[in-house]
Amino acid sequence: MTGTLTLVRLALRRDRVLLPVWILVITGVIAASASAIAELYPQAAQRIALGVTIGSAPALQALTGPVFDATSIGGLTAWRTTTMASVLAALMSIIVVTRHTRAEEETGRAELVGACAVGRHATLTSAVLVAGGANLLIVLLLTLALAGQGLPATGALAFGLAVGGAGWTFTGVAMLAAQLTEHARTANGIAAAALGLAFLLRALGDAAKVETLAWLSPLGWAQRMRAFAGERWWVAALFAATGLVLVAGAALLARRRDLGAGLLPARLGPPDAAASLRSPLALAWRLQRGGLLSWTIGFAVVGAMFGALAHSVGDIVRDNPQLAELLAQIGGGATALIDTFLAAELGLLSMVAGGYAVQATLRLQGEESAIRAEPILAASVARRRWTASHLTVALGGSALILAAGGLAAGLAHGLRIGEPARQAVRLLGAALVQVPATWTLAGIAMLLFGLLPRLTALAWAALVTFALLGQLGELLQLDDWITGLSPFAHIPHSLGQPVDVSPLLWLGAVTAALSLTGIAAFQRRDLRGD
């Protein structure tokens, strides 16, 4: 453990902006959501009616989880924000751990540090302390923020422990993933896939009311901490024990591998390149096809799940005569409510697809940092062709995964109502309408790569900001100009209504301007520099 505290100080110095932003965003969003819920539902009868509506729709429970106590502001806050806050804490932990472990080995910095008076486990321990400390600070700030609004202190503490516990558990998951592969990008992908699986298990368990499935997911544990609804304090011990076991397992695995290597052996390629690898686009496709396949399968699975659950939204109308009458007056009904739900889910998928667009575009930075771009650009490949090739994969891949999600949702929903072909076409079209907003994030990533390569993390910050505006903008009653900053706010409703293509054309023009500016800026800067 020699040198652990020094490495902790170094990590905090490097993350002096990243960590405070994550922590303040998580705590600020939750505090604002609690205040908004108190303002929107001041009467107990209103809160109870909302709880009954949610409880009658498995599709809504799949998205946000069950309501354990609809009579209190705290109970509704926990229902609305526990999953979202837990996912954010988990993502923060994954990024921090991979950044200070596997990424250090991949770049060779860990070898230089290890040549000094530094213990074998100092790097791993420092990463755990930084990520764990960040999650503890989230627990403290959430407790103070919610209790400061007049909510019960015990419930506020339980909520904080649920969110911080999820982050701590995925600290262990990221530590384990960092031992399996020799590339930071792959380690992040493994940990993110585990997070996606956790969300899927929780969603299926809550929708089908199968507690066993929900208990297989750390996100399900966070919900079942039951903050503000008869707290289960022993769940905090489950979080702590699971995280410790995963971290200890990662430490044991680290002793069985060489520095810089992963436990999963790297697959050797053929001695000679195939004839198909004669263009930059072919190389970009070869580098990114594995990740694209994983994203496509994941979107198809999630789309099918939401499509299968969409029919249950109509039960709200059948169980609520007042709502049925209101929808009839405005020309809708159960079908309109189902379409609204499906459109919302496709909008959520498009935000996630924005993550793929950013990741695929920033593969350029990974190739540049690993000094694999220099030999390519030193030959006859022009810079604009190289950058445009990866951008093409990012744009085409984001459209492909959205199409897979929309098609799967349409088939699943269509099989439930006996119209598989018609619903597949409808939802495929609705999914493709989301594509221009997703492309905007690729344009932002390209602009930052070409103009400000040291600030490419701002592309991820933009994605998180747009997602929060989309999910909480209405709840927080933000002004239209603020929510309008997100490209996803300009996507027209395409189910059951004519599509206005003008916003899509404007988003396409913005993407083209951002991308072309980024490519032109890359033409003028040095490699691995500003």
Side-chain angles (χ1 to χ4, degrees), residues 266-286:
R267 187 177 62 179
L268 297 178
D272 299 314
S276 59
L277 290 177
R278 290 181 177 175
S279 70
L281 180 59
L283 177 60
W285 165 252
R286 177 64 181 82

Side-chain angles (χ1 to χ4, degrees), residues 11-26 88 91-100 130 134 138 456-458 460-461 464:
L12 293 175
R13 174 71 175 78
R14 293 178 61 196
D15 291 345
R16 63 188 182 277
V17 176
L18 177 68
L19 275 181
V21 168
W22 273 106
I23 293 170
L24 291 176
V25 165
I26 293 172
L88 290 176
L91 288 173
M92 177 197 72
S93 301
I94 291 170
I95 292 171
V96 168
V97 168
T98 306
R99 173 180 169 88
H100 296 297
V130 171
I138 287 174
T456 51
L458 291 178
W460 294 106
V464 173

Side-chain angles (χ1 to χ4, degrees), residues 405-473:
L407 185 61
L411 287 173
H413 178 54
L415 289 172
R416 286 288 304 272
I417 65 175
E419 299 177 348
R422 178 174 177 272
Q423 295 300 324
V425 172
R426 286 181 71 239
L427 291 179
L428 175 61
L432 293 178
V433 168
Q434 309 284 334
V435 169
T438 302
W439 282 356
T440 306
L441 283 158
I444 293 173
M446 178 57 74
L447 177 67
L448 291 169
F449 169 73
L451 196 61
L452 300 169
R454 295 183 181 180
L455 299 178
T456 51
L458 291 178
W460 294 106
L463 173 61
V464 173
T465 301
F466 295 157
L468 291 176
L469 288 176
Q471 294 299 302
L472 298 177

Side-chain angles (χ1 to χ4, degrees), residues 14 93-110 122-128 171 174-179 182 184 187-188 257 259-260:
R14 293 178 61 196
S93 301
I94 291 170
I95 292 171
V96 168
V97 168
T98 306
R99 173 180 169 88
H100 296 297
T101 55
R102 177 50 61 184
E104 292 296 286
E105 294 187 40
E106 186 177 4
T107 57
R109 288 191 293 263
T123 300
L124 299 180
T125 306
S126 64
V128 170
T171 296
M175 288 288 294
L176 202 60
Q179 312 311 312
E182 60 186 51
N188 273 328
R257 64 175 180 86
L259 186 67

Side-chain angles (χ1 to χ4, degrees), residues 298-353:
F299 265 59
V301 171
V302 174
M305 181 192 73
F306 282 124
L309 293 172
H311 190 63
S312 67
V313 177
D315 295 339
I316 297 176
V317 176
R318 288 184 284 273
D319 297 337
N320 192 327
Q322 293 81 7
L323 179 60
E325 182 179 355
L326 176 62
L327 290 174
Q329 292 174 357
I330 62 177
T335 302
L337 195 60
I338 292 171
D339 284 349
T340 300
F341 169 78
L342 288 170
E345 298 315 315
L346 290 177
L348 182 62
L349 286 180
S350 70
M351 293 180 192
V352 179

Side-chain angles (χ1 to χ4, degrees), residues 429-430 433 492-495 497-504:
V433 168
H493 195 295
S494 58
L495 288 175
Q497 300 179 15
V499 177
D500 182 7
V501 299
S502 57
L504 305 181

Side-chain angles (χ1 to χ4, degrees), residues 226-237:
R226 296 180 67 103
F228 305 104
E231 294 78 12
R232 293 171 170 168
W233 299 106
W234 59 268
V235 177

